[in-house]
């Protein structure tokens, strides 16, 4: 392959990465450079280099297509339950490949191990659960879903319970009790509860990427019939905490600059100019039983306004409860003087151009 094609492929890969990050304007500029080197670089990348890269990285079975209809017809619960009486046997042909003696540990110990994995590295819990039938039965069993429900839902800040926060109300008498056994009959199983009952995720960041186009002016001596157009990209960030606080930021800085430093403990992003584009605001949030989230920022970008954001939790394909869709956005005017007659005025903002927030897990984020 000519050296210019190698350079074009590197530029094309970089542009693809920037596009995935939502940095459309930067991506377009680099795409143009790649196409100047080779006008067919997209075909070359996808037909040759891309396929070789996939095969090398993911193994010989990477390009095998799965029959989605057959997969969707599988009853997963029945399949997992069928593994309950699996016995471990030493292979007669290769005795050195005998199962690890750790698999003979009592089930209670394995359940505790899975709980530790869920708390520390959820990916390890999932990877461990798909190693064999015995691990699948324990890792994806009802006790694991029960543990997850008891881990997740008591940490949600429910709107219906806010009126009782300052009172000593017995746990079972709250509108939404923290004892999940009282709620279980509504969902029939722990797995159904986890799949159907919305919740806010704390181990990461919700990011909304917004792109819009700005038409510029032509040069004084330009002969072009059209004005230049530039793609503008900005990001909205939200990070929720179990204590009911939330960090909010609106910035042109991409996620790789913001996410490592994004928390309620900071007011600005380090190593960046301290201005409105790098400022982190702190607010509070609640979620109700219908999966609607209300975020309130009392001290936002405009001192005399209290900002209110409303979202509804949705699933992102197979990614359960991983998206926040906008439903409403407005501000309420605060008092600026003792005789201010505009207190309580409501200013509604359009959400037509706003994009949903998508959750991204961040390993360095603590759940506290």
């Amino acid at each position: 392959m000519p050296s210019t094609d190698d350079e074009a492929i590197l530029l094309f890969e970089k542009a693809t990465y920037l596009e995935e990050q939502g940095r459309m304007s930067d991506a377009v500029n680099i795409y143009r450079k790649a196409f100047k080197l080779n006008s067919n670089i997209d075909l070359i990348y996808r037909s040759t280099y891309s396929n070789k890269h996939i095969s090398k990285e993911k193994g010989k079975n990477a390009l095998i297509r799965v029959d989605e209809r057959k997969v969707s017809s599988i009853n997963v619960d029945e399949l997992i339950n069928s593994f309950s009486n699996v016995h471990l046997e030493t292979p007669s042909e290769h005795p050195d490949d005998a199962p690890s003696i750790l698999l003979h540990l009592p089930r209670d110990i394995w359940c505790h191990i899975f709980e530790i994995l869920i708390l520390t590295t959820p990916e390890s819990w999932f990877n461990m659960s798909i190693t064999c039938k015995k691990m699948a039965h324990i890792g994806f069993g009802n006790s694991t879903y029960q543990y997850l429900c008891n881990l997740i839902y008591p940490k949600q800040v429910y709107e219906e319970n806010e009126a009782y926060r300052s009172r000593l109300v017995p746990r079972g008498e709250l509108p939404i009790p923290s004892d999940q056994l009282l709620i279980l009959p509504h969902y029939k199983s722990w797995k159904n509860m986890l799949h159907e009952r919305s919740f806010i995720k704390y181990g990461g960041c919700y990011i909304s990427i917004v792109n819009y186009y700005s038409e510029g002016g032509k040069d004084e001596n330009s002969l072009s019939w059209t004005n230049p157009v530039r793609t503008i990209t900005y990001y909205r960030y939200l990070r929720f905490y179990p204590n009911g606080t939330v960090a909010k930021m609106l910035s042109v800085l991409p996620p790789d600059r913001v996410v490592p430093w994004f928390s309620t403990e900071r007011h600005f992003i380090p190593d960046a100019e301290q201005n409105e584009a790098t400022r982190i605001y702190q607010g509070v949030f609640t979620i109700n039983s219908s999966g609607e989230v209300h975020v309130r920022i009392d001290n936002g970008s405009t001192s005399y306004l209290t900002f209110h954001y409303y979202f509804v939790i949705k699933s992102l394909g197979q990614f359960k409860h991983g998206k926040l869709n906008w439903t409403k956005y407005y501000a309420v005017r605060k008092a600026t003087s003792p005789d201010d007659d505009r207190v309580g005025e409501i200013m509604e903002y359009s959400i037509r151009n706003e994009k949903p927030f998508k959750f991204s897990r961040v390993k360095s984020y603590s759940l506290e």
Side-chain angles (χ1 to χ4, degrees), residues 279-295:
R279 188 175 182 85
I280 301 173
Y281 293 100
Q282 182 173 328
V284 295
F285 81 96
T286 57
I287 176 176
N288 65 22
S289 56
S290 300
E292 297 172 337
V293 180
H294 174 207
V295 174

Side-chain angles (χ1 to χ4, degrees), residues 122-135:
E123 296 89 348
S124 299
W125 154 58
F126 184 85
N127 292 334
M128 187 71 178
S129 299
I130 61 176
T131 54
C132 67
K133 293 179 179 179
K134 180 180 177 67
M135 292 294 99

Side-chain angles (χ1 to χ4, degrees), residues 26-208:
D26 295 334
V28 168
N29 290 333
I30 296 178
Y31 274 132
R32 286 173 177 166
K33 293 179 182 178
F35 279 104
K36 282 183 180 179
L37 294 174
N38 189 321
S39 60
N40 295 318
I41 193 60
D42 57 330
L43 301 177
I44 295 174
Y45 180 82
R46 292 189 175 95
S47 63
T48 58
Y49 179 82
S50 182
N51 286 344
K52 290 179 182 178
H53 180 71
I54 290 173
S55 299
K56 181 179 178 182
E57 293 295 325
K58 297 186 178 180
K60 62 182 180 180
N61 296 324
L63 300 180
I64 294 178
R65 187 175 296 277
V66 176
D67 190 334
E68 297 292 343
R69 289 179 298 178
K70 289 185 177 180
V71 172
S72 61
S73 65
I74 297 174
N75 187 317
V76 177
D77 293 331
E78 289 184 2
L79 180 63
I80 296 296
N81 290 334
S82 69
F83 301 154
S84 59
N85 297 319
V86 170
H87 298 286
L88 303 177
E89 298 180 357
T90 301
S92 57
E93 296 183 0
H94 303 284
D96 293 338
D97 295 335
S100 169
I101 59 173
L102 293 176
L103 294 178
H104 296 283
L105 288 173
R107 180 183 176 87
D108 291 346
I109 294 179
W110 273 117
C111 288
H112 185 62
I113 291 173
F114 274 109
E115 290 174 4
I116 295 174
L117 292 178
I118 290 171
L119 282 174
T120 53
T121 53
E123 296 89 348
S124 299
W125 154 58
F126 184 85
N127 292 334
M128 187 71 178
S129 299
I130 61 176
T131 54
C132 67
K133 293 179 179 179
K134 180 180 177 67
M135 292 294 99
H137 185 257
I138 299 174
F140 297 132
N142 195 51
S143 60
T144 300
Y145 287 113
Q146 180 180 358
Y147 176 75
L148 285 168
C149 289
N150 286 317
L151 178 67
I152 292 170
Y153 294 111
K155 292 184 178 181
Q156 301 299 301
V157 184
Y158 287 106
E159 178 185 342
E160 292 89 340
N161 291 349
E162 285 300 284
Y164 299 85
R165 173 173 284 190
S166 60
R167 308 178 194 174
L168 298 176
V169 179
R171 296 174 62 187
E173 295 182 10
L174 288 170
I176 301 181
S178 57
D179 187 350
Q180 302 307 301
L181 283 173
L182 300 175
I183 302 175
L184 181 62
H186 294 284
Y187 297 95
K188 298 182 180 180
S189 73
W190 294 107
K191 181 179 179 181
N192 286 343
M193 181 189 293
L194 193 66
H195 285 183
E196 298 173 10
R197 186 180 173 194
S198 301
F199 59 89
I200 283 291
K201 301 183 179 186
Y202 300 121
C205 182
Y206 290 85
I207 304 174
S208 173

